[in-house]
Amino acid sequence: MSKANSILSILAATYPDAHCELNFSTPFELLIATMLSAQATDKKVNQVTEKLFRNYKTPESFLTLSLKKMEEAIKELGLYRNKAKNILATCQILIEKYNGEVPDSMEALTQLPGVGRKTANVVLSNAYNIPAFAVDTHVLRVSNRLGLASGTNPDLIEKQLMNSIPRSQWIQAHHWLIWHGRRICAARNPKCSECPLSPLCPSTLLPA
DNA sequence: AACTCGGGGCA
DNA sequence: TGCCCAGAGTT
């Protein structure tokens, strides 16, 4: 059993019900929620989208909002000018090019303004169940600490993880690493004393 | 590779 | 008060 497999099996046992913590009921809602989640906490994103999606559920309805109204609706998430502008522009493209639907390919998704590789992977895996590995700050940090990957380039980390993890586990592994990063392997003051991976971890703060 | 956007939560 | 939060685009 490889080290990666050992780590993955422990993560699987530790977080048996790991899942996407952004609330959504359609691919469109997940796309918007993920665009909003940049450098914001999922808790705040859910608070904002709960109100937003109550009255606006489609690209068409979003376009009834002025840029200023959109900015006000999402202001507390930060980076709100870029997010508001990109979301409205994306809604326009969804209507013009995709019949108001959210496309299910990396090429089409990353062509949308404000949608990068990470957001596209989240939509592909969580809305369309297409195997993908979304590398965010948690996945980057945790996989580096555990020795599952190395480097600061998210695209290269994504390739390393896809090479060492079975395709059938990509979506779950992504969630395991994020849940672990949030609950134990935090950016600041990681709780190594509570970590089930500590014996296997090259970066553990515990004495050998 | 570094810089900018950015309000909010938390130690 | 400083650092981080389920990033993306530009220089």
Side-chain angles (χ1 to χ4, degrees), chain A residues 63 83-94 112-113:
Chain A
L63 288 182
K83 289 176 183 176
K85 176 160 52 71
N86 287 332
I87 285 173
L88 290 179
T90 286
C91 287
Q92 187 68 41
I93 295 175
L94 292 181
L112 301 169

Side-chain angles (χ1 to χ4, degrees), chain A residues 2 8 20 37 45 59 65 86 112 114 124 127 129 132 148 165 182 195:
Chain A
S2 71
L8 289 175
C20 178
S37 72
V45 173
L65 288 167
N86 287 332
L112 301 169
L124 291 174
N129 205 30
L148 290 175
I165 297 175
R182 297 185 56 177
C195 181

Side-chain angles (χ1 to χ4, degrees), chain A residues 56-83:
Chain A
Y56 308 94
K57 308 175 188 302
T58 64
E60 290 82 0
S61 60
F62 265 59
L63 288 182
T64 66
L65 288 167
S66 67
L67 181 57
K68 178 174 291 186
K69 287 289 187 183
M70 180 64 72
E71 288 180 351
E72 289 173 1
I74 67 174
K75 191 161 193 169
E76 59 188 320
L77 297 177
L79 309 180
Y80 60 93
R81 292 190 187 89
N82 287 335
K83 289 176 183 176

Side-chain angles (χ1 to χ4, degrees), chain A residues 106-125:
Chain A
M106 172 63 69
E107 298 72 33
L109 284 168
T110 52
Q111 195 176 338
L112 301 169
V115 179
R117 199 170 176 80
K118 187 268 176 178
T119 296
N121 276 325
V122 167
V123 170
L124 291 174
S125 59

Side-chain angles (χ1 to χ4, degrees), chain A residues 4-5 7-12 15-16 18-20 125-126 131-136 138-140 142-143 146 148 158 161-162 164-181 197:
Chain A
N5 283 336
I7 290 174
L8 289 175
S9 63
I10 293 174
L11 287 172
Y15 310 107
H19 60 274
C20 178
S125 59
N126 292 298
F133 224 113
V135 178
D136 63 7
H138 293 301
V139 174
L140 190 66
V142 175
S143 58
L146 287 173
L148 290 175
E158 179 185 333
L161 293 174
M162 290 193 302
S164 60
I165 297 175
R167 184 184 183 85
S168 62
Q169 287 189 298
W170 287 353
I171 299 177
Q172 279 306 309
H174 160 72
H175 289 130
W176 292 334
L177 291 173
I178 287 186
W179 278 44
H180 190 60
L197 294 169

